[in-house]
Amino acid sequence: MKEQLIQRYSAAERINHWIVAVCFILLAISGLAFFYPAFFWLTGVFGTPQLARIVHPFVGVVMFLAFLRQFFRYYHHNFITDDDIKWMKSVRTVMAGGEVGDTGRYNGGQKGMFWLMCVCMAGLLLSGVIAWRPYFAEFFPIPLIRLALLAHASCAVALIAGIIVHVYAALWVRGTIRAMVEGVVTHAWARKHHPRWYREMTGNSTPKH
Ligand code: HEM
């Protein structure tokens, strides 16, 4: 029997997502290289240490702008409801393979992750601009630049930890990567993980198991 599929992401959405993801990986690698001497060799990701220092902030701006586009695409799907709080409190059941509540397009975990990404992105941009030599840093006092660098590193650590969870969840829930690669999911995937979204998409009100 032919597999029944539902469109979850358009090509434009997927390109947008992978631009953010590629920028993120380059930034995380070069950022770790600046942060800790043992990782200095990772500056090679942009050719030389000097180039890495010059290019890192520009790639950061590209990531921020691409993420801003994602923000406007998804923020209205990510408002947290009572059901989502219930999901978050039952995360152990979810980890054991169960489903909690009548989940819509995104579950409580995905929504929490979305807002963590937003806070980190805003923090990284703001602190990054303050610390950006030779263009902007000269307009700010040195103690503020130091605080900005502390905030920059804190947001980066939080975002890297968050993205590790994001990627793990995407790989762990079978059929999810396909949503961001081919743009589609199976009916079974949608029915199991996002039953309310499944009904909205198909008009099918009799959930099958
Ligand atoms: C680096 C490897 C990454 C992989 C393998 C990955 C994978 C995925 C997958 C499979 C989805 C679809 C989930 C679903 O529809 O249920 C998704 C959604 C999403 N991803 Fe990623 N991702 C990665 C990196 C990132 C990064 C770095 C960001 C931004 C900081 C990001 C932001 C998002 C957003 C905003 C969504 C939309 C869903 C939502 O609002 O939660 N992703 N990702």
Side-chain angles (χ1 to χ4, degrees):
M1 198 176 76
K2 200 170 176 299
E3 206 178 28
Q4 285 190 300
L5 300 171
I6 303 175
Q7 183 83 26
R8 189 153 164 93
Y9 295 107
S10 67
E13 286 180 287
R14 283 175 276 147
I15 292 168
N16 189 169
H17 176 270
W18 291 117
I19 289 174
V20 175
V22 169
C23 289
F24 169 81
I25 290 165
L26 294 174
L27 289 161
I29 292 174
S30 52
L32 279 173
F34 303 143
F35 188 68
Y36 197 69
F39 293 133
F40 190 69
W41 59 278
L42 288 174
T43 50
V45 71
F46 287 126
T48 66
Q50 293 79 0
L51 262 178
R53 173 58 191 79
I54 293 168
V55 175
H56 176 97
F58 288 102
V59 177
V61 172
V62 173
M63 177 174 78
F64 179 82
L65 293 176
F67 183 78
L68 197 63
R69 184 72 188 90
Q70 282 197 301
F71 174 81
F72 286 112
R73 288 186 197 280
Y74 304 122
Y75 77 92
H76 59 285
H77 292 303
N78 282 285
F79 293 133
I80 292 176
T81 64
D82 288 347
D83 266 358
D84 299 321
I85 305 284
K86 206 170 95 190
W87 189 100
M88 290 174 191
K89 286 184 177 160
S90 317
V91 72
R92 277 163 162 264
T93 314
V94 178
M95 296 295 283
E99 289 295 328
V100 177
D102 193 22
T103 304
R105 185 178 163 111
Y106 296 115
N107 63 41
Q110 289 175 300
K111 291 183 183 182
M113 187 63 72
F114 178 81
W115 294 113
L116 174 79
M117 289 171 182
C118 294
V119 170
C120 291
M121 285 283 173
L124 284 166
L125 183 82
L126 188 69
S127 56
V129 166
I130 293 174
W132 194 349
R133 292 191 180 90
Y135 305 113
F136 305 106
E138 63 181 288
F139 300 113
F140 302 101
I142 286 173
L144 181 65
I145 295 174
R146 289 189 176 153
L147 274 178
L149 286 170
L150 184 63
H152 201 72
S154 309
C155 290
V157 168
L159 188 60
I160 290 170
I163 295 301
I164 290 172
V165 175
H166 178 74
V167 174
Y168 183 78
L171 296 170
W172 185 57
V173 180
R174 223 168 66 192
T176 308
I177 283 288
R178 190 176 184 186
M180 222 15 126
V181 176
E182 296 173 37
V184 292
V185 291
T186 61
H187 277 231
W189 183 95
R191 221 162 34 219
K192 179 164 168 36
H193 304 297
H194 301 274
R196 185 159 51 78
W197 178 71
Y198 171 72
R199 295 197 303 277
E200 285 161 12
M201 293 301 287
T202 60
N204 186 345
S205 58
T206 50
K208 276 187 262 160
H209 293 284

